[in-house]
Amino acid sequence: MAPDVMTIVFLAIMAFIISYMVVTALKSRQEPVKLKRTITVIKCSSCDHEQSRDFKEGDFVGKEEGQCPKCGGKLIVSAIYVEEIPEKV
Amino acid sequence: MDGSNDWASTLLVILILGSFLLNFTDIPQKMQLWRYSSYIRKKIIQLTEIEDEGRRKVIKYLNRLNVENPRKVLEGFVDNFFLISPVNIEPTDIIKRLRHLIRNRDESIRRYVEENIPNASLVQRQNAEVLLEISSVLTLINKIVKHYFQLGVKYNNWILMMQLALELQQVVKLAKAYDDAMDAFMAGMPIGDGAGPLVAFYLKGDAKPVRIAKETIYYETSLDGRKVYIIKAEGPGSTVGWPGEAVEKLVNMLGGSVSRIITVDAALKLESEKTGEVAYGVGAAIGDPGPEKIAIERAASRYGIPLDAVVIKMSNEEAINSMTKQVLEGVKKAVEIVKKVIRDKVPESGSVIVVGIGNTVGIA
Ligand SMILES: [Zn+2]
């Protein structure tokens, strides 16, 4: 009867240690990779027209981007920012 | 002897032995030292990978600029160009001396880049400077971590090892942030620290720039009858300009008849704060080592001009990486706050100086 108690105590401790190690190992591995995209916002300097597209190399805030399709005014890059793409479920 | 007595005495022996081992030997510490050092070794491998990746990025960028021997250019930069801080037990003139040293260093870096990358535009050269500096920082971080690790091993200093292991997660995160930041500078995109210059850009409207100090410009515009002077670094290359000297010159130029000076800058947020929160207060919002900040403070106090600060909160990582949407929202909020301060606190027909502090990469 006596060795059984020892065995149970021993097994319980081992089970606790192993599950603790497994949990820590799993936790450290989980690092969700977030997808990001960079967006360039272009605004008309004369009217409210605003459009956005993906960032192209060479873009900078204040860059002239041709004519406004609505009023013919100057189009200017007004912001560049990074946005996280929401994960598809 | 019956069975129960037997296991009780075994347990007793184990307890006594165990407590002896725990209390009177170094075995637990040795085991911890071993565990922490294997963890640190893993992290050092990770840091070295980050450093190598950073170097690859710099070399790729230099290749694009048709540099003949990019590896040599990189190796000639890393580890060099350190700055020894001026003597501070005799503080007389310390700002002047510090400014002198900082400008000397900037100048020699500029010359190094100019000599080695002769066929690039100014913007490309400015971005290359930052890429080389980041690569240098990554090497330094790796070296410092290795230094403490090797000290710990050499002297069996398990407290040092433990401290290093506990700090390392943050250090690796910072190194990764620097490595990611390289992408922003290579593409010439605005970074989080560009919040100040972006506020200045939104306030200036159609005004034309006038050069006032090295790599620093000002715009003259108006808001509801108030004259607004806006200072920022000259973009879209990576530079912070000399905002302090610019403010000093502009205030002197206007003969001190300025109602307020408003500085706008990115500020480090506390963990519990949200990115993009905007706060305002009093003082010069600028995070330079001293010379530029003191120039603004002196210019303001010489003529008794109130000094306002507007800050946009973000983390260290966000400040050096591509501008996020939350920071951009903060910038828009800050523009409204600056306008409100001007309307509420500057008398009509008065004039005000707004300074957008920060790195203007990707912002003209
Ligand atoms: Zn339009």
Side-chain angles (χ1 to χ4, degrees):
Chain A
M1 229 186 92
D4 287 348
V5 180
M6 283 297 283
T7 318
I8 288 164
V9 170
F10 180 72
L11 283 179
I13 292 172
M14 283 305 282
F16 174 76
I17 292 174
I18 289 171
S19 56
Y20 176 80
M21 282 165 77
V22 167
V23 167
T24 11
L26 282 180
K27 250 190 191 166
S28 66
R29 209 167 291 172
Q30 279 172 356
E31 246 181 54
V33 181
K34 281 172 189 159
L35 289 174
K36 288 172 180 176
R37 81 178 151 201
T38 312
I39 291 166
T40 299
V41 183
I42 299 162
K43 259 189 193 161
C44 173
S45 54
S46 327
C47 71
D48 295 342
H49 181 72
E50 186 180 318
Q51 63 193 69
S52 54
R53 58 165 170 78
D54 281 343
F55 172 83
K56 277 194 307 223
E57 205 157 326
D59 281 357
F60 60 86
V61 174
K63 186 187 177 196
E64 288 181 20
E65 277 279 291
Q67 284 192 334
C68 170
K70 272 194 203 159
C71 72
K74 255 194 286 178
L75 281 180
I76 286 174
V77 174
S78 76
I80 297 169
Y81 63 90
V82 172
E83 191 182 50
E84 269 168 30
I85 299 173
E87 273 175 63
K88 283 164 204 152
V89 183
Chain B
M1 265 207 206
D2 62 307
S4 69
N5 206 344
D6 190 39
W7 76 256
S9 57
T10 317
L11 197 65
L12 198 67
V13 169
I14 291 174
L15 272 176
I16 290 169
L17 263 176
S19 80
F20 182 78
L21 285 178
L22 286 175
N23 291 314
F24 299 106
T25 71
D26 281 343
I27 292 170
Q29 282 82 342
K30 283 270 163 62
M31 280 174 73
Q32 289 210 326
L33 182 75
W34 173 75
R35 269 191 59 211
Y36 283 121
S37 71
S38 77
Y39 171 79
I40 293 170
R41 234 175 247 129
K42 257 185 251 160
K43 289 288 175 189
I44 287 179
I45 292 172
Q46 210 180 337
L47 279 175
T48 311
E49 271 167 15
I50 293 172
E51 188 192 336
D52 289 345
E53 200 186 318
R55 281 173 182 241
R56 275 199 293 277
K57 283 179 186 171
V58 177
I59 288 171
K60 198 174 130 200
Y61 190 76
L62 294 182
N63 264 329
R64 234 163 51 189
L65 302 181
N66 295 321
V67 176
E68 262 175 48
N69 196 343
R71 193 169 295 276
K72 211 181 126 206
V73 174
L74 178 63
E75 263 149 31
F77 187 91
V78 172
D79 275 348
N80 296 323
F81 299 104
F82 56 79
L83 189 147
I84 298 169
S85 9
V87 173
N88 55 17
I89 50 168
E90 216 287 68
T92 312
D93 257 7
I94 191 166
I95 283 293
K96 215 169 134 191
R97 284 181 277 134
L98 182 60
R99 190 178 56 204
H100 177 68
L101 294 177
I102 290 174
R103 289 188 179 173
N104 266 342
R105 178 175 180 271
D106 287 351
E107 185 60 27
S108 56
I109 289 176
R110 198 185 56 82
R111 202 171 301 148
Y112 180 83
V113 169
E114 225 170 51
E115 274 166 16
N116 287 290
I117 317 173
N119 302 319
S121 69
L122 175 69
V123 172
Q124 285 168 330
R125 275 206 306 269
Q126 283 173 331
N127 294 349
E129 270 177 35
V130 177
L131 289 174
L132 287 168
E133 293 240 34
I134 293 177
S135 190
S136 211
V137 167
L138 287 176
T139 304
L140 184 67
I141 290 176
N142 201 352
K143 268 191 191 172
I144 291 174
V145 170
K146 276 182 194 155
H147 171 72
Y148 284 113
F149 172 67
Q150 284 171 8
L151 272 186
V153 171
K154 202 172 179 179
Y155 298 109
N156 268 323
N157 189 339
W158 58 275
I159 290 186
L160 190 67
M161 207 63 114
M162 199 163 154
Q163 258 184 329
L164 183 61
L166 295 176
E167 298 272 347
L168 258 183
Q169 210 182 351
Q170 261 176 297
V171 173
V172 171
K173 201 176 158 214
L174 185 70
K176 262 192 200 147
Y178 272 116
D179 182 46
D180 291 342
M182 283 183 156
D183 297 326
F185 286 102
M186 281 166 83
M189 272 156 58
I191 56 170
D193 188 48
L198 195 57
V199 168
F201 177 85
Y202 288 150
L203 284 169
K204 81 173 172 66
D206 304 328
K208 291 272 163 288
V210 182
R211 171 79 59 87
I212 185 157
K214 190 167 171 263
E215 293 175 354
T216 312
I217 46 176
Y218 80 92
Y219 299 91
E220 199 179 324
T221 176
S222 64
L223 182 79
D224 299 344
R226 287 104 172 145
K227 210 166 217 179
V228 185
Y229 296 90
I230 296 154
I231 294 174
K232 73 182 274 298
E234 189 174 14
S238 167
T239 177
V240 292
W242 290 358
E245 190 169 314
V247 169
E248 205 178 349
K249 273 190 186 165
L250 194 57
V251 169
N252 288 336
M253 213 169 78
L254 299 171
S257 61
V258 178
S259 305
R260 288 194 107 74
I261 298 173
I262 306 171
T263 48
V264 188
D265 192 12
L268 222 52
K269 76 179 179 79
L270 298 174
E271 275 301 307
S272 59
E273 288 177 314
K274 278 206 186 73
T275 300
E277 275 179 29
V278 180
Y280 60 90
V282 170
I286 169 169
D288 86 315
E292 300 298 323
K293 186 172 181 175
I294 208 168
I296 297 176
E297 287 170 355
R298 285 203 171 126
S301 62
R302 185 180 309 139
Y303 296 98
I305 305 165
L307 199 52
D308 289 314
V310 176
V311 295
I312 299 138
K313 308 247 173 105
M314 63 191 75
S315 72
N316 204 350
E317 289 84 25
E318 284 163 329
I320 58 175
N321 270 295
S322 313
M323 189 177 282
T324 60
K325 200 174 183 187
Q326 292 97 303
V327 173
L328 184 65
E329 307 277 300
V331 166
K332 286 174 183 164
K333 260 186 265 169
V335 170
E336 291 314 310
I337 287 176
V338 171
K339 281 184 181 168
K340 192 173 179 305
V341 171
I342 294 175
R343 287 194 190 105
D344 292 353
K345 294 183 178 168
V346 177
E348 242 169 277
S349 80
S351 52
V352 56
I353 297 175
V354 180
V355 199
I357 307 284
N359 190 316
T360 192
V361 59
I363 303 164

